Amino acid sequence: MSSKSIVLSAMQGDRGGQLTLLVLLAAVILVPLANMALPASHPLHIETFTISLMGKYLSYAMLALALDLVWGYLGILSLGHGAFFALGGYAMGMYLMRQIGDRGVYGDPILPDFMVFLDWQALPWFWHGFDSFVFACLMVVLVPGALAYLFGYLAFRSRVSGVYLSIMTQALTYALMLAFFRNEMGFGGNNGLTDFKDILGFSLQSDGTKVALFVATVIALMMSYWICRMVVASRLGRVALAIRDSESRTRFMGYDVDTIKLAVFVLSAVIAGVAGALYVPQVGIINPGEFTPINSIEVVVWVALGGRATLFGAIVGALLVNYAKSWFTVEFPEVWLFALGGLFVLSTLYFPRGVSGFVHEALSRYRARASRNGNRSDKREPHQSTLDNTSESAHTPKEATI
């Protein structure tokens, strides 16, 4: 079976996912055209700032997709996916810092400005290689994946699950946040990494680069969705659902539960790391605040609001919540946190299956109602024709007799 047929078979029956991919495909074509082909005075023109904001939201959507893979289909409520997101962002940020060269404030061609300020004499060993984009991309994948593998191996082999595993993931994130805040760690301390100049030789301030980063984010989100959908539609995905619903029974049936959980968890961490790497050049900064536990809890809200165990619902939830966050922080900045809590409470009370589940149920009720109405009309028509035939048969013999 070819790779094309595998992708098509995985997308069968996933109408929400198909619609989501169509919207993303339209965005990757129409948004750059609206920015570059239309003049600023045109009503359909999209500003470059808006495109960067959209790219930021789509990076968050990738993070939500990664969480939904482990929470929705494996039953692991991870409160530490923000750590994988931040590690991927730091890997890309280190590459961008190395590209500054002697254009920094202190003009040192090797050491970043914060190292010169802290009187570092040499570049730390773990910074070597980040002058290469290929090496940085490898670290974006390997660092979050390696941490997820190590953490998952120890946790799953020890049979840690449920709320205890959630607390452990949050503790991991908090520990990393405290570590990255320290100046001696060599990651910029409290200020993090910023003042980026260019990527692959292209200025990060140019409109063309920002549009290209948006396009790369959309493509990465589409590819991540396809990968997650193929996993969910495969035998691995079916076993993951069985683990979610009854881990002990699945283990009793002979499946290597620990290895399956570890594989899905590592894949999810890698997707989160790639999302962080795409986030950093579009936002222009990465600091230890990305490790804050509240960020990982926000991702849970996105997935819950959009619809757990749907994949496309996680994307929708991330876009909706972050758009609402941007609007609230401009119009009512002091009530944003209360609004976030209210969204979570409302989604739990009135949308237990999320927005996608609510829409699905509404469409199902509409189709059922339409089907019942159709059946009633079908039943009435034969009944009426039977009466007509009966009346005709009742009159015809009399007329014939007459």
Side-chain angles (χ1 to χ4, degrees):
M1 184 180 292
S2 64
S3 58
K4 181 179 179 180
S5 60
I6 293 175
V7 172
L8 293 177
S9 62
M11 293 301 297
Q12 287 180 356
D14 183 20
R15 294 184 178 180
Q18 294 172 6
L19 179 60
T20 302
L21 292 180
L22 285 176
V23 172
L24 291 175
L25 183 60
V28 81
I29 297 173
L30 297 179
V31 171
L33 288 176
N35 173 261
M36 304 178 70
L38 299 179
S41 58
H42 197 280
L44 296 180
H45 175 78
I46 300 178
E47 297 181 355
T48 305
F49 171 78
T50 304
I51 290 181
S52 296
L53 192 62
M54 294 168 64
K56 172 184 172 182
Y57 292 166
L58 292 172
S59 300
Y60 286 152
M62 280 186 67
L63 176 58
L65 178 68
L67 178 63
D68 192 28
L69 182 63
V70 294
W71 184 30
Y73 294 92
L74 199 56
I76 298 175
L77 177 56
S78 172
L79 298 180
H81 260 52
F84 305 129
F85 180 83
L87 288 174
Y90 264 97
M92 180 56 65
M94 292 168 71
Y95 162 76
L96 295 175
M97 290 296 291
R98 293 298 308 274
Q99 298 305 299
I100 296 175
D102 57 3
R103 292 173 294 174
V105 175
Y106 298 99
D108 194 300
I110 302 298
L111 298 180
D113 285 338
F114 73 89
M115 291 186 184
V116 178
F117 177 78
L118 295 173
D119 199 25
W120 288 56
Q121 300 301 317
L123 192 70
W125 65 267
F126 49 85
W127 274 79
H128 289 284
F130 279 97
D131 54 342
S132 168
F133 181 76
V134 175
F135 180 84
C137 290
L138 288 175
M139 292 300 104
V140 164
V141 173
L142 292 179
V143 173
L147 178 62
Y149 181 85
L150 179 61
F151 175 86
Y153 181 85
L154 296 176
F156 301 149
R157 295 291 174 180
S158 301
R159 305 290 176 88
V160 180
S161 61
V163 65
Y164 300 103
L165 183 60
S166 300
I167 294 173
M168 287 179 61
T169 57
Q170 192 171 50
L172 173 67
T173 303
Y174 190 71
L176 287 172
M177 181 191 71
L178 295 179
F180 274 72
F181 265 119
R182 299 173 65 88
N183 288 328
E184 57 267 28
M185 285 290 292
F187 296 106
N190 183 54
N191 296 323
L193 308 178
T194 186
D195 195 29
F196 308 131
K197 305 297 183 183
D198 50 41
I199 180 171
L200 292 174
F202 299 96
S203 173
L204 287 172
Q205 306 305 319
S206 69
D207 293 347
T209 304
K210 294 181 179 180
V211 172
L213 288 170
F214 168 80
V215 172
T217 305
V218 176
I219 294 175
L221 178 57
M222 295 175 66
M223 292 180 63
S224 299
Y225 187 90
W226 279 329
I227 292 172
C228 291
R229 184 60 194 173
M230 284 190 290
V231 169
V232 169
S234 66
R235 183 181 179 184
L236 175 62
R238 293 191 292 271
V239 176
L241 286 174
I243 295 173
R244 181 196 67 182
D245 297 335
S246 180
E247 180 176 337
S248 58
R249 180 179 297 179
T250 308
R251 193 184 298 273
F252 179 76
M253 293 175 63
Y255 289 100
D256 191 349
V257 171
D258 299 333
T259 301
I260 293 172
K261 291 169 68 174
L262 186 60
V264 177
F265 189 70
V266 170
L267 174 61
S268 175
V270 168
I271 294 175
V274 174
L278 291 167
Y279 167 86
V280 168
Q282 297 182 90
V283 176
I285 187 173
I286 179 70
N287 59 40
E290 297 297 335
F291 288 101
T292 306
I294 187 62
N295 290 351
S296 297
I297 296 174
E298 276 192 40
V299 183
V300 175
V301 176
W302 304 344
V303 177
L305 182 64
R308 178 188 169 196
T310 58
L311 294 181
F312 69 89
I315 297 175
V316 173
L319 298 179
L320 288 177
V321 175
N322 282 284
Y323 176 78
K325 181 177 180 179
S326 296
W327 185 81
F328 269 104
T329 51
V330 172
E331 300 295 334
F332 308 100
E334 66 279 359
V335 300
W336 158 241
L337 290 178
F338 300 100
L340 178 65
L343 281 174
F344 187 72
V345 172
L346 289 175
S347 63
T348 303
L349 293 177
Y350 300 103
F351 305 103
R353 296 179 57 192
V355 174
S356 60
F358 174 78
V359 173
H360 177 74
E361 291 175 357
L363 291 176
S364 298
R365 287 195 296 267
Y366 173 78
R367 290 168 183 165
R369 191 180 302 112
S371 177
R372 286 196 299 268
N373 293 335
N375 292 336
R376 289 174 183 172
S377 62
D378 291 341
K379 290 179 180 179
R380 288 173 183 172
E381 290 177 0
H383 180 66
Q384 185 65 36
S385 62
T386 302
L387 291 176
D388 294 340
N389 293 335
T390 303
S391 62
E392 290 177 3
S393 61
H395 288 85
T396 302
K398 292 181 180 178
E399 294 174 356
T401 302
I402 293 172

